[in-house]
Amino acid sequence: MIEDFETIDEFLTHGTSDVEEAIRTAAATEIMPRFRQLAAHEIDEKSGPHDLVTDADRKAEIYLTEQLVKLLPGSVVVGEEAVHANPATYEAVHGEAPVWIVDPVDGTRQFVHGDPGFCTLVALAQGGVVRASWTYAPAHDRLAVAIRGGGAFLDGERLRSGSPEPGRDLEVATSHPYYTTDEQKRALLGLWTDGVRPRSCGSAGLEYLSVAQGVLDATAFSWEAAWDHAAGLLLVEEAGGTHLTRTGAPFRITGGNALPFTAARDEATARRVVELLSGGA
């Protein structure tokens, strides 16, 4: 049931189930019917062959945009595909209005290739602070939710990231080379050292979920797009982890971060990754 909420706090107390319903419906009607059923004309390139968009991305974002703004009066949406069409809409992440940050299909490359490793990401932020997030993996029907100050949960069970086992190599998911500058490539090379097992990342949202679950030790990402990071960073925080840029400051969804940055299971791991990134630059 959709009600009128005057503030984010009131909404987060009483209205989050409506967000879950909207996300599940978008996935059921616009994403999953196209999974492993895409025709060639339903797939397009954006900046290049590694940056794909499909009809599932576009239509799911349209549906979520229509539904989410109804839930919280005065809110706006920053969606990946809308920003691609009109970059000026990204400026809303800097404003004071509540903003829904949406990635309708995070891991479009996996989606196109029939790999179930993709998800839908939604975050609610205001004044540059992420207040709540939803990470939904529709091919597995798994939903992770985080509320700032209220914890992180996967299918209703509390997530706790914990700390890596002493003496074990750190597993770190890293940016693909084609998403990095030469300087960032040099920084990421710092992870190729004893005690660390770097690997290329899949869906950013699912990598963050793995950190929150304590399955993955850390990430090292080199791009700032809020729709890729906002939901997952809050999920990691509320599970007990943390995130740091190369200057040691937390990542800001409003931009201006020292890249690459990390999200990790605990502060000690985050600081170790930042140290290696700084040494590799």
Side-chain angles (χ1 to χ4, degrees):
M1 177 180 178
I2 294 177
E3 303 177 22
D4 288 333
F5 299 102
E6 295 183 0
T7 67
I8 281 187
D9 289 331
E10 184 180 352
F11 175 78
L12 293 178
T13 301
H14 302 289
T16 57
S17 62
D18 290 328
V19 181
E20 177 180 337
E21 181 180 351
I23 293 169
R24 289 185 182 277
T25 301
T29 60
E30 304 296 355
I31 298 173
M32 291 309 294
R34 295 179 169 88
F35 182 47
R36 297 174 176 163
Q37 302 294 325
L38 286 168
H41 69 271
E42 295 177 302
I43 307 168
D44 293 308
E45 293 183 8
K46 292 195 286 190
S47 62
H50 301 295
D51 187 12
L52 302 176
V53 62
T54 73
D55 282 5
D57 298 76
R58 297 187 183 101
K59 292 181 182 295
E61 182 171 305
I62 289 170
Y63 178 85
L64 286 168
T65 298
E66 292 173 347
Q67 298 302 311
L68 293 173
V69 295
K70 295 177 183 177
L71 300 180
L72 188 59
S75 63
V76 296
V77 175
V78 169
E80 178 177 6
E81 308 316 327
V83 171
H84 177 70
N86 179 8
T89 61
Y90 195 79
E91 291 303 311
V93 299
H94 299 275
E96 287 304 314
V99 55
W100 299 98
I101 302 170
V102 175
D103 190 341
V105 181
D106 179 63
T108 300
R109 185 177 68 257
Q110 287 81 2
F111 180 77
V112 167
H113 290 99
D115 183 330
F118 61 91
C119 60
T120 297
L121 301 174
V122 174
L124 178 60
Q126 187 173 36
V129 177
V130 182
R131 299 291 306 278
S133 77
W134 295 260
T135 300
Y136 182 50
H140 302 288
D141 192 25
R142 306 212 74 186
L143 177 68
V145 180
I147 306 294
R148 183 166 296 279
F153 299 83
L154 177 61
D155 298 330
E157 295 188 9
R158 186 72 181 253
L159 287 172
R160 300 188 188 279
S161 58
S163 296
E165 180 182 345
R168 179 177 59 77
D169 287 355
L170 295 177
E171 184 177 354
V172 183
T174 70
S175 298
H176 290 284
Y178 42 76
Y179 291 139
T180 59
T181 65
D182 289 343
E183 179 186 359
Q184 291 165 358
K185 285 183 176 69
R186 288 193 295 272
L188 289 168
L189 283 174
L191 298 175
W192 268 258
T193 188
D194 291 343
V196 182
R197 285 189 293 118
R199 63 164 175 80
S200 293
C201 70
S203 152
L206 294 184
E207 301 290 13
Y208 283 123
L209 176 56
S210 292
V211 173
Q213 291 176 285
V215 175
L216 176 68
D217 297 313
T219 63
F221 292 150
S222 58
W223 74 98
E224 292 187 293
W227 48 76
D228 284 321
H229 305 303
L233 289 173
L234 181 63
L235 192 67
V236 168
E237 283 186 81
E238 289 298 321
T242 193
H243 50 88
L244 297 173
T245 67
R246 282 173 59 198
T247 62
F251 182 90
R252 300 183 301 272
I253 64 167
T254 50
N257 297 286
L259 302 173
F261 74 98
T262 186
R265 293 173 62 182
D266 62 5
E267 185 168 352
T269 303
R271 295 199 177 281
R272 173 59 175 157
V273 172
V274 166
E275 176 186 353
L276 292 172
L277 292 173
S278 298

